[in-house]
Amino acid sequence: MNPANRYALTFPGTPGTQAPQDVVVVARTDAKGPGGHPVYEDDTGIVRAEISDAGEVRMLASGGQQSPHMPVHAHPLP
């Protein structure tokens, strides 16, 4: 199965508020993550994730002080 070129990652809103969920679109890069799967990132390069063929997501820190949150859902885009 070929991995998608883009995914929409949905993150939970701020806990304890009525804030909507955040959706970030990430595109495939030439890099491979620690699990050997493709790395995807948003246009800013701040949101980075390794996504397997099965849709499993591993968030990757893009800076030294970052503690990335796990998305609720990763949806492949056409």
Side-chain angles (χ1 to χ4, degrees):
M1 178 177 181
N2 288 336
N5 287 323
R6 298 182 321 139
Y7 279 88
L9 301 179
T10 304
F11 296 87
T14 305
T17 69
Q18 296 291 330
Q21 294 180 328
D22 292 320
V23 177
V24 178
V25 175
V26 293
R28 187 175 178 170
T29 68
D30 291 332
K32 298 282 186 191
H37 303 288
V39 172
Y40 294 76
E41 64 182 35
D42 72 341
D43 290 339
T44 67
I46 294 172
V47 177
R48 299 182 76 233
E50 176 183 14
I51 304 176
S52 74
D53 291 346
E56 299 163 312
V57 180
R58 176 187 300 179
M59 296 304 297
L60 304 172
S62 61
Q65 300 299 319
Q66 198 176 35
S67 178
H69 296 280
M70 289 299 296
V72 174
H73 184 71
H75 180 73
L77 298 174

